[in-house]
Amino acid sequence: MTDTSMRPAHATASRWERHSSLQTFAELLLGLSFTAAVAFGGYAAVTGRMTVLSQGAGVVFLVTLTCVLVSWFRAVEREEAPVVAPAASVVDPISAIDAEYRR
């Protein structure tokens, strides 16, 4: 028997619960396009046929890989971002540069 009276029922959302359906679809497409690129590329290398299809699968894989990597890095940046102070103490960067220039 576990005592759960001191622990919250669900403290924070897990990484997978924060994924959007579009991000999940992109990651699944990444795996499927990799499998298709390898399969069609191997078949094209052996038989000399379907090279256009293997090239298309390769392009889809590279585009999907780029999108997924950018999404992953943005998520890491969001998690590591410092907590922003209240709006009253936030200084507009353009105003700070302008004030420094006018000195």
Side-chain angles (χ1 to χ4, degrees), residues 1-44:
M1 187 163 158
T2 305
D3 180 23
T4 59
S5 62
M6 302 304 282
R7 292 184 299 170
H10 201 272
T12 59
S14 70
R15 180 174 178 256
W16 297 108
E17 290 173 347
R18 288 180 271 148
H19 271 217
S20 67
S21 59
L22 181 64
Q23 189 173 5
T24 303
F25 175 74
E27 290 176 4
L28 289 173
L29 180 62
L30 177 66
L32 291 174
S33 63
F34 176 75
T35 304
V38 169
F40 291 137
Y43 184 78

Side-chain angles (χ1 to χ4, degrees), residues 14 16 18 26 29 42 47 55 59-60 64 71 74-75 85 91 99 103:
S14 70
W16 297 108
R18 288 180 271 148
L29 180 62
T47 63
Q55 290 171 353
V59 167
V60 170
T64 309
S71 172
R74 284 186 178 172
V91 178
R103 277 203 224 173

Side-chain angles (χ1 to χ4, degrees), residues 34-92:
F34 176 75
T35 304
V38 169
F40 291 137
Y43 184 78
V46 171
T47 63
R49 299 180 189 162
M50 296 178 51
T51 55
V52 173
L53 195 56
S54 67
Q55 290 171 353
V59 167
V60 170
F61 170 71
L62 290 176
V63 169
T64 309
L65 177 66
T66 303
C67 293
V68 168
L69 286 176
V70 166
S71 172
W72 286 346
F73 282 114
R74 284 186 178 172
V76 168
E77 285 178 354
R78 267 186 258 123
E79 290 174 1
E80 293 178 353
V83 177
V84 178
S89 64
V90 174
V91 178
D92 182 32

